[in-house]
Amino acid sequence: MDLLGLVLRSFMEVLLVGALLGAGLPALFAVGVRVLAASEGRRSHRSAAYAIFALVVMIVLLGIAVIVADGLGVTLGE
């Protein structure tokens, strides 16, 4: 039963990360676009939209770094 629990836990982790990045990241980008479109020249809204875009770019770059590091045999974070 221990193996089954480990497999189910791993499956749930992959499912959660996939849902978060697969749907959450594009949704976050869409929120940034919406905030930028509604800014009407207000500097605070434009700054918030650019901060959201910067967050999305950082997450994408982090994902690319993890993939490249794994391909090179480097372990990140440990």
Side-chain angles (χ1 to χ4, degrees), residues 6-58:
L6 183 62
V7 169
L8 287 176
R9 180 174 174 226
S10 298
F11 175 74
M12 291 305 293
E13 288 176 1
V14 169
L15 187 65
L16 179 65
V17 170
L20 181 66
L21 295 178
L25 205 53
L28 188 61
F29 182 80
V31 168
V33 170
R34 180 74 177 163
V35 169
L36 186 61
S39 67
E40 297 177 1
R42 285 181 253 167
R43 190 171 261 184
S44 63
H45 285 88
R46 291 178 71 106
S47 298
Y50 292 144
I52 292 171
F53 294 146
L55 179 65
V56 169
V57 168
M58 285 190 306

Side-chain angles (χ1 to χ4, degrees), residues 62-70 73-78:
L62 178 65
I64 291 171
V66 167
I67 291 170
V68 169
D70 186 51
V74 177
T75 303
L76 297 178
E78 289 185 18

